[in-house]
Amino acid sequence: MRELATLLVLAGFAAGLAGCNTISGVGQDVKAGGAAIERAAEKSKPK
């Protein structure tokens, strides 16, 4: 089971790297991910 989990994590990491070819692309992906997390956190706040 642990081997499967490791394989899935590595496959996801490889897919992520394939999606952004440059360091600039990585920065944009991280920025977009952070923005999505921030929006989700704002939506979940009590009003």
Side-chain angles (χ1 to χ4, degrees), residues 9-36:
V9 168
L10 289 175
F13 183 70
L17 286 179
C20 50
N21 297 333
T22 64
I23 297 300
S24 175
V26 172
Q28 291 173 352
D29 290 345
V30 170
K31 184 177 177 182

Side-chain angles (χ1 to χ4, degrees), residues 37-47:
I37 291 170
E38 192 172 326
R39 282 191 305 272
E42 287 296 325
K43 286 182 181 179
S44 68
K45 280 186 181 178
K47 294 184 181 192

